Amino acid sequence: MTTASDRQPTVKVPQQASPAHDTLDVPPGETRRGRRALLAGGAVLALVAGGGFAARYAFKGDVPRGVTVLGVNLGGLTRAEAGTVLRAHLAADPRTSAAVRVRVEKKSATVSPAAIGLVVDVDATVDAASGGRPSLSGGRSVAPVIAVDADLLDAALLKAVGPVGTPMRAPAVTFTGLTPKAVHPAPGRGLDPERSAEAVKAGWLSGEPVTVPLVELRPATTAEEVDRLVEEVARPAVAAPLTITSEKGTLTVPPAAIAKSLVLTADRTGLIEPRFDPKKLRASVASRLARIEVAAKDASFTFAGGKPKIVAGADGRGLDLAALAPDLLTAARSSDARTVKASLTTAAPATSVADLERLGVKEKVSTFTTKFTGGLSSPRSQNIVTAAKQVRGALVLPGKTFSLNRHTGERGYAQGYKDAPVIVGGDLQPGVGGGVSQFTTTLFNATYYAGLEDVEHKPHSYYFDRYPAVIESTIFWPDLDFRFKNNTPYGVLIHTAHTSDSITVSVWSTRVWDKVTTEWSPRRNITSPQTITKPDGPDCIATSGLIGFTQDAWRLFHKGGKVVQREKFTWKYDPEPRFICGAPA
């Protein structure tokens, strides 16, 4: 009996054959087929061996072979190496720093990449390049990952191209007295920050202008929701007063104050979120709040023995209306539960002793004195003293600008000023506040010799020898002002004092310059006054006349024993006519 195994080819190995030259005895008819099988097997083994080498080659590094970004080959590099190579390429690429040209409707503009946070995110780009499969033949291009600040871009576009599209009508609820009125929304067309950002990221490195689209803008609050706010919030809110109780007393918020402080306007997306504005509410009930609150007192400077001294402030006690605002809104929507219970909280001074100590007000930096033209009791001298008292103790913080007009306000009879000679249209005539220009000149020179920045001053039309030529200043409410800027890192404290015949202004701070001096040029273009006769009366003030001339003055800043800065002032004085009061000869 013959089995299946008996029919299989038999392989015989000669016993004396060399191991290096083994031969196969194949039955007739199987020779070619066996050879083809052996060749095929060898090819498979070779392919497997070659494939393993190719895989190792393709996957060398973190970034697969054949991957490029912006034309730069990153294949085979580690993430760190790829980041370094890509950053170097971007730094050398002028497109990454050049202004981006944009078009919005028919308007064109440019924006700076740095101003809008427009950059290639190198780390994210390398992450993208590291993903995917390698390419054994050819390459794979990976787009750079670009980032931009959508809000900065939106602001830059609005500034660069101005108004575009059609603005949407924002929804709101307004009050006329105690009557609420619905303002229904309407859509518009305009810039959308996210859509603008997508357009700029997509077109930035193309080298072509980027078209930023306008989109339809629909307010987040609908007309129906506005009507609901009128009925469910606005009308109930002003239907009756609100009451705030505390341990120091009760505060009644009348409907008129509610209408002024209840905010029912939309944000930039058109969304209305009802809320109370604590600042508006406080202003609306200020007199009522004063009965239960104790205001905090700031630390301040005073003068003792002619020197500045810091006086400590004190804590106050008050209602935190910002914290109460949510409860007030809930009560305002109710018809019966309209009382909110509150506790007074400690209110710290806005300015502490430590704040003032850090300002470095420690020494007298400059002082300047001018003489009165009349006795202390004269209206003119009294006006000078009144202005000096108002300015005494003025503190100008670093970087801030002092305005004499803004500090004193209008200088009228109600403020204690009197009639004295002023120059109006080239004529001397009585006017309220006359003489304050002498205080202005004294203050100007004190700040001038302290080395502070001159912002605004104007010398007199005529020269009066009680003032230093060129470096003097007049003032007139509200058109002419005197202003200086504290351009030092220290506080500037102004002290004023007067005697029976003089006014003095001193500046206290920390000295920046060794000293400040003045050099004058000779007078030039000297002109003589003319004689003018005016009708006699209370408006006529006789004068002897003054010459006119032009002169320069240089402010010299000294440091380390030498002049390190010069500042030039020039002024042309008109000749003051010789006025005669009486009928013409």
Side-chain angles (χ1 to χ4, degrees):
M1 180 177 177
T2 304
T3 64
S5 60
D6 296 332
R7 293 195 294 270
Q8 297 298 319
T10 299
V11 179
K12 295 182 179 180
V13 181
Q15 294 183 1
Q16 297 181 359
S18 170
H21 297 87
D22 290 346
T23 60
L24 298 179
D25 288 337
V26 181
E30 297 294 331
T31 304
R32 293 181 181 178
R33 186 164 55 246
R35 288 177 179 175
R36 285 198 297 271
L38 289 174
L39 290 174
V44 169
L45 291 174
L47 181 60
V48 170
F53 173 78
R56 290 192 299 273
Y57 173 82
F59 280 104
K60 181 182 179 182
D62 296 321
V63 182
R65 296 283 181 176
V67 172
T68 62
V69 175
L70 295 174
V72 180
N73 186 4
L74 304 181
L77 301 180
T78 65
R79 289 175 184 268
E81 292 169 340
T84 300
V85 171
L86 185 55
R87 286 187 179 90
H89 176 76
L90 292 171
D93 191 336
R95 294 176 299 175
T96 60
S97 58
V100 183
R101 294 177 294 163
V102 295
R103 289 176 181 164
V104 183
E105 285 194 316
K106 297 181 179 180
K107 297 182 178 181
S108 298
T110 58
V111 292
S112 165
I116 59 175
L118 183 60
V119 294
V120 173
D121 188 333
V122 173
D123 292 336
T125 301
V126 171
D127 286 344
S130 300
R133 298 183 61 80
S135 175
L136 298 179
S137 61
R140 178 167 63 91
S141 177
V142 174
V145 178
I146 297 173
V148 67
D149 188 309
D151 291 333
L152 290 179
L153 171 61
D154 191 52
L157 289 174
L158 290 174
K159 181 178 180 181
V161 303
V164 290
T166 55
M168 69 179 182
R169 184 168 67 235
V173 177
T174 61
F175 283 94
T176 301
L178 299 181
T179 303
K181 178 185 177 182
V183 178
H184 289 156
R189 289 179 67 252
L191 293 169
D192 176 73
E194 296 304 325
R195 289 288 300 279
S196 299
E198 291 173 5
V200 169
K201 287 192 292 185
W204 174 32
L205 299 177
S206 68
E208 298 295 326
V210 178
T211 299
V212 178
L214 296 184
V215 300
E216 185 180 68
L217 303 176
R218 286 190 170 274
T221 302
T222 65
E224 293 75 17
E225 290 170 328
V226 173
D227 292 337
R228 182 177 55 80
L229 289 170
V230 169
E231 298 304 324
E232 297 181 6
V233 180
R235 291 194 194 280
V238 296
L242 291 171
T243 301
I244 302 175
T245 61
S246 74
E247 65 270 27
K248 289 294 185 180
T250 298
L251 173 67
T252 299
V253 184
I258 297 172
K260 291 179 180 178
S261 54
L262 180 59
V263 179
L264 292 167
T265 53
D267 62 16
R268 62 181 297 180
T269 68
L271 177 65
I272 298 178
E273 292 186 346
R275 62 183 177 85
F276 272 100
D277 184 318
K279 291 184 178 180
K280 291 181 179 179
L281 179 57
R282 178 169 290 279
S284 300
V285 294
S287 60
R288 299 168 186 259
L289 275 172
R291 301 170 191 166
I292 62 176
E293 291 187 328
V294 177
K297 184 178 180 181
D298 288 342
S300 61
F301 282 104
T302 188
F303 285 90
K307 295 183 178 181
K309 176 184 177 182
I310 297 176
V311 179
D315 288 341
R317 297 279 290 170
L319 291 174
D320 188 347
L321 296 182
L324 288 175
D327 292 337
L328 288 172
L329 182 61
T330 300
R333 304 174 77 157
S334 173
S335 60
D336 50 4
R338 299 180 67 83
T339 297
V340 174
K341 186 176 181 179
S343 297
L344 293 174
T345 59
T346 299
T351 303
S352 67
V353 170
D355 292 333
L356 296 185
E357 289 175 340
R358 283 192 290 268
L359 292 177
V361 178
K362 64 181 184 181
E363 59 186 325
K364 186 185 293 185
V365 175
S366 67
T367 188
F368 199 81
T369 300
T370 59
K371 296 288 187 179
F372 295 147
T373 57
L376 184 59
S377 61
S378 73
R380 184 178 185 280
S381 299
Q382 286 298 303
N383 288 339
I384 295 171
V385 171
T386 299
K389 289 180 178 178
Q390 287 184 282
V391 174
R392 182 181 301 155
L395 177 64
V396 187
L397 298 177
K400 299 298 182 181
T401 296
F402 174 90
S403 160
L404 184 54
N405 272 346
R406 188 169 63 246
H407 187 84
T408 66
E410 185 174 2
R411 295 171 292 274
Y413 300 119
Q415 291 77 31
Y417 290 90
K418 306 177 185 299
D419 282 331
V422 297
I423 300 175
V424 179
D427 290 349
L428 272 177
Q429 56 185 264
V432 63
V436 175
S437 58
Q438 179 170 342
F439 173 74
T440 307
T441 289
T442 312
L443 177 61
F444 168 66
N445 274 266
T447 60
Y448 171 98
Y449 284 107
L452 299 172
E453 181 181 338
D454 174 44
V455 175
E456 178 185 356
H457 86 280
K458 182 180 180 183
H460 289 79
S461 301
Y462 308 138
Y463 173 64
F464 303 104
D465 59 8
R466 58 181 175 270
Y467 305 142
V470 183
I471 52 172
E472 47 96 1
S473 182
T474 186
I475 196 168
F476 193 83
W477 175 271
D479 303 312
L480 294 179
D481 196 5
F482 163 62
R483 296 186 295 152
F484 72 89
K485 181 178 180 180
N486 178 4
N487 57 340
T488 77
Y490 310 103
V492 166
L493 182 65
I494 300 174
H495 182 248
T496 65
H498 68 276
T499 66
S500 60
D501 65 350
S502 68
I503 181 70
T504 298
V505 177
S506 301
V507 173
W508 288 79
S509 185
T510 292
R511 190 175 299 278
V512 173
W513 307 102
D514 294 345
K515 62 179 179 179
V516 176
T517 61
T518 303
E519 289 182 357
W520 283 271
S521 72
R523 296 178 179 179
R524 60 186 183 274
N525 303 328
I526 298 174
T527 54
S528 300
Q530 59 179 322
T531 299
I532 298 176
T533 301
K534 298 173 61 178
D536 197 5
D539 290 339
C540 182
I541 298 176
T543 63
S544 58
L546 297 168
I547 64 169
F549 60 90
T550 300
Q551 193 170 17
D552 305 317
W554 285 270
R555 177 160 61 159
L556 309 181
F557 299 81
H558 299 256
K559 192 82 169 178
K562 60 182 180 180
V563 175
V564 297
Q565 185 175 323
R566 298 169 63 93
E567 184 178 13
K568 184 179 180 181
F569 298 85
T570 301
W571 189 250
K572 176 185 177 183
Y573 289 104
D574 297 327
E576 181 191 34
R578 176 174 174 262
F579 288 111
I580 299 175
C581 298

PDB file of all heavy atoms in Angstrom, residues 396-402 451-455 483-488:
ATOM      1  N   VAL A 396       2.758 117.324  42.560  1.00  0.00           N
ATOM      2  CA  VAL A 396       2.762 116.880  41.165  1.00  0.00           C
ATOM      3  C   VAL A 396       3.551 115.573  41.104  1.00  0.00           C
ATOM      4  O   VAL A 396       4.750 115.543  41.378  1.00  0.00           O
ATOM      5  CB  VAL A 396       3.395 117.937  40.237  1.00  0.00           C
ATOM      6  CG1 VAL A 396       3.235 117.521  38.777  1.00  0.00           C
ATOM      7  CG2 VAL A 396       2.773 119.307  40.477  1.00  0.00           C
ATOM      8  N   LEU A 397       2.863 114.510  40.746  1.00  0.00           N
ATOM      9  CA  LEU A 397       3.487 113.182  40.724  1.00  0.00           C
ATOM     10  C   LEU A 397       4.387 113.038  39.497  1.00  0.00           C
ATOM     11  O   LEU A 397       4.236 113.767  38.505  1.00  0.00           O
ATOM     12  CB  LEU A 397       2.404 112.108  40.709  1.00  0.00           C
ATOM     13  CG  LEU A 397       1.485 112.075  41.934  1.00  0.00           C
ATOM     14  CD1 LEU A 397       0.414 111.005  41.754  1.00  0.00           C
ATOM     15  CD2 LEU A 397       2.281 111.823  43.207  1.00  0.00           C
ATOM     16  N   PRO A 398       5.337 112.098  39.532  1.00  0.00           N
ATOM     17  CA  PRO A 398       6.228 111.886  38.376  1.00  0.00           C
ATOM     18  C   PRO A 398       5.443 111.648  37.091  1.00  0.00           C
ATOM     19  O   PRO A 398       4.486 110.873  37.068  1.00  0.00           O
ATOM     20  CB  PRO A 398       7.025 110.646  38.782  1.00  0.00           C
ATOM     21  CG  PRO A 398       7.002 110.653  40.280  1.00  0.00           C
ATOM     22  CD  PRO A 398       5.670 111.208  40.664  1.00  0.00           C
ATOM     23  N   GLY A 399       5.839 112.340  36.035  1.00  0.00           N
ATOM     24  CA  GLY A 399       5.202 112.169  34.735  1.00  0.00           C
ATOM     25  C   GLY A 399       3.941 112.979  34.542  1.00  0.00           C
ATOM     26  O   GLY A 399       3.407 113.024  33.427  1.00  0.00           O
ATOM     27  N   LYS A 400       3.442 113.649  35.585  1.00  0.00           N
ATOM     28  CA  LYS A 400       2.200 114.408  35.491  1.00  0.00           C
ATOM     29  C   LYS A 400       2.479 115.868  35.157  1.00  0.00           C
ATOM     30  O   LYS A 400       3.559 116.393  35.402  1.00  0.00           O
ATOM     31  CB  LYS A 400       1.402 114.312  36.790  1.00  0.00           C
ATOM     32  CG  LYS A 400       0.986 112.896  37.150  1.00  0.00           C
ATOM     33  CD  LYS A 400       0.076 112.302  36.092  1.00  0.00           C
ATOM     34  CE  LYS A 400      -0.387 110.904  36.474  1.00  0.00           C
ATOM     35  NZ  LYS A 400      -1.252 110.308  35.426  1.00  0.00           N
ATOM     36  N   THR A 401       1.455 116.522  34.578  1.00  0.00           N
ATOM     37  CA  THR A 401       1.557 117.926  34.183  1.00  0.00           C
ATOM     38  C   THR A 401       0.672 118.784  35.075  1.00  0.00           C
ATOM     39  O   THR A 401      -0.496 118.453  35.295  1.00  0.00           O
ATOM     40  CB  THR A 401       1.161 118.103  32.711  1.00  0.00           C
ATOM     41  OG1 THR A 401       2.091 117.385  31.882  1.00  0.00           O
ATOM     42  CG2 THR A 401       1.193 119.575  32.304  1.00  0.00           C
ATOM     43  N   PHE A 402       1.223 119.870  35.578  1.00  0.00           N
ATOM     44  CA  PHE A 402       0.488 120.815  36.428  1.00  0.00           C
ATOM     45  C   PHE A 402      -0.016 121.960  35.562  1.00  0.00           C
ATOM     46  O   PHE A 402       0.728 122.544  34.779  1.00  0.00           O
ATOM     47  CB  PHE A 402       1.405 121.357  37.526  1.00  0.00           C
ATOM     48  CG  PHE A 402       0.783 122.448  38.360  1.00  0.00           C
ATOM     49  CD1 PHE A 402       0.067 122.137  39.503  1.00  0.00           C
ATOM     50  CD2 PHE A 402       0.918 123.783  38.000  1.00  0.00           C
ATOM     51  CE1 PHE A 402      -0.509 123.142  40.286  1.00  0.00           C
ATOM     52  CE2 PHE A 402       0.350 124.798  38.759  1.00  0.00           C
ATOM     53  CZ  PHE A 402      -0.372 124.478  39.908  1.00  0.00           C
ATOM     54  N   GLY A 451      14.590 122.815  36.995  1.00  0.00           N
ATOM     55  CA  GLY A 451      14.901 121.973  35.838  1.00  0.00           C
ATOM     56  C   GLY A 451      13.719 121.201  35.308  1.00  0.00           C
ATOM     57  O   GLY A 451      13.890 120.273  34.519  1.00  0.00           O
ATOM     58  N   LEU A 452      12.485 121.586  35.711  1.00  0.00           N
ATOM     59  CA  LEU A 452      11.299 120.877  35.263  1.00  0.00           C
ATOM     60  C   LEU A 452      10.924 121.309  33.846  1.00  0.00           C
ATOM     61  O   LEU A 452      11.274 122.403  33.392  1.00  0.00           O
ATOM     62  CB  LEU A 452      10.147 121.136  36.232  1.00  0.00           C
ATOM     63  CG  LEU A 452      10.421 120.669  37.667  1.00  0.00           C
ATOM     64  CD1 LEU A 452       9.336 121.137  38.610  1.00  0.00           C
ATOM     65  CD2 LEU A 452      10.562 119.150  37.724  1.00  0.00           C
ATOM     66  N   GLU A 453      10.190 120.443  33.146  1.00  0.00           N
ATOM     67  CA  GLU A 453       9.887 120.659  31.731  1.00  0.00           C
ATOM     68  C   GLU A 453       8.830 121.746  31.538  1.00  0.00           C
ATOM     69  O   GLU A 453       7.748 121.686  32.117  1.00  0.00           O
ATOM     70  CB  GLU A 453       9.399 119.360  31.096  1.00  0.00           C
ATOM     71  CG  GLU A 453       9.065 119.470  29.609  1.00  0.00           C
ATOM     72  CD  GLU A 453       8.565 118.174  29.034  1.00  0.00           C
ATOM     73  OE1 GLU A 453       8.862 117.110  29.618  1.00  0.00           O
ATOM     74  OE2 GLU A 453       7.857 118.218  27.999  1.00  0.00           O
ATOM     75  N   ASP A 454       9.161 122.740  30.725  1.00  0.00           N
ATOM     76  CA  ASP A 454       8.208 123.795  30.394  1.00  0.00           C
ATOM     77  C   ASP A 454       7.245 123.277  29.333  1.00  0.00           C
ATOM     78  O   ASP A 454       7.663 122.876  28.253  1.00  0.00           O
ATOM     79  CB  ASP A 454       8.959 125.034  29.877  1.00  0.00           C
ATOM     80  CG  ASP A 454       8.020 126.108  29.370  1.00  0.00           C
ATOM     81  OD1 ASP A 454       7.013 126.375  30.053  1.00  0.00           O
ATOM     82  OD2 ASP A 454       8.284 126.663  28.287  1.00  0.00           O
ATOM     83  N   VAL A 455       5.954 123.277  29.642  1.00  0.00           N
ATOM     84  CA  VAL A 455       4.946 122.800  28.703  1.00  0.00           C
ATOM     85  C   VAL A 455       4.241 123.973  28.026  1.00  0.00           C
ATOM     86  O   VAL A 455       4.052 123.978  26.811  1.00  0.00           O
ATOM     87  CB  VAL A 455       3.912 121.899  29.413  1.00  0.00           C
ATOM     88  CG1 VAL A 455       2.793 121.489  28.457  1.00  0.00           C
ATOM     89  CG2 VAL A 455       4.591 120.666  29.987  1.00  0.00           C
ATOM     90  N   ARG A 483       1.733 125.855  32.332  1.00  0.00           N
ATOM     91  CA  ARG A 483       1.794 124.428  32.624  1.00  0.00           C
ATOM     92  C   ARG A 483       3.247 123.959  32.627  1.00  0.00           C
ATOM     93  O   ARG A 483       4.054 124.406  31.810  1.00  0.00           O
ATOM     94  CB  ARG A 483       1.014 123.615  31.592  1.00  0.00           C
ATOM     95  CG  ARG A 483      -0.484 123.883  31.569  1.00  0.00           C
ATOM     96  CD  ARG A 483      -1.193 122.938  30.612  1.00  0.00           C
ATOM     97  NE  ARG A 483      -0.783 123.149  29.229  1.00  0.00           N
ATOM     98  CZ  ARG A 483      -0.794 122.205  28.293  1.00  0.00           C
ATOM     99  NH1 ARG A 483      -1.182 120.978  28.602  1.00  0.00           N
ATOM    100  NH2 ARG A 483      -0.424 122.482  27.063  1.00  0.00           N
ATOM    101  N   PHE A 484       3.562 123.063  33.563  1.00  0.00           N
ATOM    102  CA  PHE A 484       4.872 122.417  33.552  1.00  0.00           C
ATOM    103  C   PHE A 484       4.674 120.940  33.823  1.00  0.00           C
ATOM    104  O   PHE A 484       3.668 120.519  34.423  1.00  0.00           O
ATOM    105  CB  PHE A 484       5.823 123.032  34.595  1.00  0.00           C
ATOM    106  CG  PHE A 484       5.493 122.688  36.025  1.00  0.00           C
ATOM    107  CD1 PHE A 484       6.013 121.556  36.628  1.00  0.00           C
ATOM    108  CD2 PHE A 484       4.657 123.500  36.772  1.00  0.00           C
ATOM    109  CE1 PHE A 484       5.710 121.228  37.942  1.00  0.00           C
ATOM    110  CE2 PHE A 484       4.350 123.191  38.095  1.00  0.00           C
ATOM    111  CZ  PHE A 484       4.870 122.053  38.678  1.00  0.00           C
ATOM    112  N   LYS A 485       5.633 120.135  33.389  1.00  0.00           N
ATOM    113  CA  LYS A 485       5.578 118.687  33.578  1.00  0.00           C
ATOM    114  C   LYS A 485       6.665 118.251  34.547  1.00  0.00           C
ATOM    115  O   LYS A 485       7.816 118.693  34.448  1.00  0.00           O
ATOM    116  CB  LYS A 485       5.763 117.957  32.241  1.00  0.00           C
ATOM    117  CG  LYS A 485       5.683 116.436  32.350  1.00  0.00           C
ATOM    118  CD  LYS A 485       5.829 115.783  30.985  1.00  0.00           C
ATOM    119  CE  LYS A 485       5.753 114.257  31.093  1.00  0.00           C
ATOM    120  NZ  LYS A 485       5.894 113.617  29.760  1.00  0.00           N
ATOM    121  N   ASN A 486       6.292 117.383  35.471  1.00  0.00           N
ATOM    122  CA  ASN A 486       7.279 116.778  36.351  1.00  0.00           C
ATOM    123  C   ASN A 486       7.958 115.643  35.603  1.00  0.00           C
ATOM    124  O   ASN A 486       7.466 114.519  35.557  1.00  0.00           O
ATOM    125  CB  ASN A 486       6.612 116.257  37.630  1.00  0.00           C
ATOM    126  CG  ASN A 486       7.615 115.580  38.563  1.00  0.00           C
ATOM    127  OD1 ASN A 486       8.813 115.565  38.303  1.00  0.00           O
ATOM    128  ND2 ASN A 486       7.116 115.004  39.643  1.00  0.00           N
ATOM    129  N   ASN A 487       9.078 115.955  34.974  1.00  0.00           N
ATOM    130  CA  ASN A 487       9.801 114.975  34.159  1.00  0.00           C
ATOM    131  C   ASN A 487      10.912 114.292  34.955  1.00  0.00           C
ATOM    132  O   ASN A 487      11.932 113.891  34.404  1.00  0.00           O
ATOM    133  CB  ASN A 487      10.385 115.652  32.921  1.00  0.00           C
ATOM    134  CG  ASN A 487      11.303 116.827  33.263  1.00  0.00           C
ATOM    135  OD1 ASN A 487      11.232 117.369  34.362  1.00  0.00           O
ATOM    136  ND2 ASN A 487      12.149 117.226  32.328  1.00  0.00           N
ATOM    137  N   THR A 488      10.703 114.148  36.271  1.00  0.00           N
ATOM    138  CA  THR A 488      11.673 113.467  37.130  1.00  0.00           C
ATOM    139  C   THR A 488      11.003 112.231  37.736  1.00  0.00           C
ATOM    140  O   THR A 488       9.782 112.102  37.712  1.00  0.00           O
ATOM    141  CB  THR A 488      12.152 114.387  38.273  1.00  0.00           C
ATOM    142  OG1 THR A 488      11.126 114.447  39.291  1.00  0.00           O
ATOM    143  CG2 THR A 488      12.442 115.786  37.764  1.00  0.00           C
TER     144      THR A 488
END
